Amino acid sequence: MTDVQATLLGTIIGGVIGVIGTYLGAMKIADRQRFIDAGRRLREAFQDELAILRGPDDCDAFTLLNSSFKKHLIAITEFRYVLHGNKIESFNRAWLTYHCTSEAPFIHLLEQYDTKTGSREQRNKNRELAIQRINRILSFTEYNSVCSMLICRNF
């Protein structure tokens, strides 16, 4: 092989490696952006309800969460598409724990967050349970520690 041929072959191989590397990098960036965008939409879907639940006033948590269920379900469904591997199973478990009974057949049961009946202590406990379970769902939107500090925690 002559020096010219070796140079040409090296240039071609280097170009191909560069194109493949650029493509893979761009795909990773696009995936990350889709994850961040879907996570933002998921956090936005729950932010009004969380603000009310965290507020000082009494609220009807069941009615609040039940009336927003469609909005939450749309955001949950969209976010599932950006999760990979075992994160999907954990996310599904967190979602089922939030809105269903704990055993099959998983019956829609937001009544577990009733804050209109029972003792004051029980109503507060139900309210805190709703907040805790929503936060568990939203914890999946944290991409990494940088995202957690700079982007995700701002919502």
Side-chain angles (χ1 to χ4, degrees):
M1 180 179 287
T2 68
D3 287 343
V4 174
Q5 290 173 329
T7 302
L8 185 59
L9 183 61
T11 301
I12 291 171
I13 291 173
V16 169
I17 291 172
V19 166
I20 292 171
T22 300
Y23 173 77
L24 293 175
M27 292 304 294
K28 183 156 181 75
I29 289 169
D31 282 348
R32 181 180 305 154
Q33 191 59 49
R34 278 192 293 276
F35 180 90
I36 290 169
D37 291 343
R40 179 183 43 79
R41 286 189 289 276
L42 181 60
R43 289 186 307 278
E44 287 172 353
F46 280 95
Q47 73 183 5
D48 291 341
E49 292 75 25
L50 273 176
I52 293 168
L53 289 170
R54 289 176 177 152
D57 300 328
D58 282 342
C59 68
D60 181 358
F62 165 70
T63 301
L64 173 71
L65 297 173
N66 199 47
S67 65
S68 303
F69 186 76
K70 181 179 177 183
K71 171 180 70 164
H72 298 161
L73 183 59
I74 290 168
I76 289 287
T77 302
E78 178 186 0
F79 188 72
R80 269 192 195 114
Y81 289 110
V82 299
L83 291 175
H84 301 287
N86 63 352
K87 290 281 189 184
I88 295 170
E89 186 178 323
S90 298
F91 182 74
N92 286 339
R93 224 180 356 259
W95 172 240
L96 283 174
T97 301
Y98 164 74
H99 82 90
C100 288
T101 55
S102 59
E103 299 174 0
F106 300 105
I107 300 168
H108 182 68
L109 186 67
L110 290 176
E111 288 89 355
Q112 62 188 321
Y113 308 120
D114 176 25
T115 56
K116 287 296 182 187
T117 60
S119 68
R120 174 72 131 170
E121 181 182 339
Q122 185 59 47
R123 292 191 312 261
N124 287 339
K125 185 177 175 182
N126 290 350
R127 187 178 192 160
E128 286 302 316
L129 182 62
I131 292 169
Q132 176 188 17
R133 289 183 174 169
I134 291 169
N135 284 335
R136 173 69 180 129
I137 291 168
L138 298 181
S139 72
F140 288 89
T141 66
E142 298 174 6
Y143 189 80
N144 58 33
S145 59
V146 173
C147 176
S148 300
M149 292 184 305
L150 299 178
I151 300 169
C152 300
R153 297 289 180 183
N154 292 334
F155 284 89

